[in-house]
Amino acid sequence: MIVLYESKFARLELDEARRIVRYVRTAEPFASVDDATQMFRDILTGTARLARRDLALLSDLRLAPGRNDEAFEGTVSTFRQELFGGFRKRAALVRTMAGKLQVRRLNGNPETAADVFDDEATALAFLGKQ
């Protein structure tokens, strides 16, 4: 694994063997929307040189604190295309039914939508299929 980004909020890794970028959100809550904005900008810097069309993205959100306020969702929406667009496939890994519903609700654009899973092995198998 190659670490592309790491902070108290998230870790971003490249698994070259599987051709998967793994975004793992920690349990650390954002103190402000500015914290989330800075994290997203840093992640974009970390992924700028990747050939996304050859890679899949796994967003592991199992530890992420739930958050659905308008300001936060607006920030995610602002960065959504840049963060999630261009990958060969996308999967989100969640722990709860509420997490599944949240990701599905935010999956508006097919170019950035992620299939949602609660089992890591199933998500990885999905991302490995061509």
Side-chain angles (χ1 to χ4, degrees), residues 29-90:
F30 294 117
S32 69
V33 173
D34 290 340
D35 285 344
T37 299
Q38 187 60 53
M39 182 194 75
F40 293 143
R41 285 185 179 140
D42 292 343
I43 286 172
L44 288 172
T45 299
T47 60
R49 295 185 183 154
L50 296 178
R52 290 181 179 213
R53 69 186 169 279
D54 299 327
L55 299 167
L57 174 66
L58 175 62
S59 297
D60 185 345
L61 308 171
R62 291 177 289 186
L63 296 177
R67 185 158 180 179
N68 64 355
D69 58 277
E70 190 174 318
F72 178 74
E73 287 191 2
T75 299
V76 172
S77 178
T78 299
F79 286 97
R80 189 166 195 80
Q81 180 62 40
E82 290 178 279
L83 289 169
F84 305 120
F87 285 99
R88 178 178 55 78
K89 277 187 168 178
R90 290 160 301 280

Side-chain angles (χ1 to χ4, degrees), residues 2-16:
I2 298 169
V3 177
L4 302 170
Y5 168 80
E6 188 167 20
S7 74
K8 65 182 179 180
F9 301 115
R11 180 177 174 97
L12 190 70
E13 304 168 331
L14 173 60
D15 181 339
E16 290 182 299

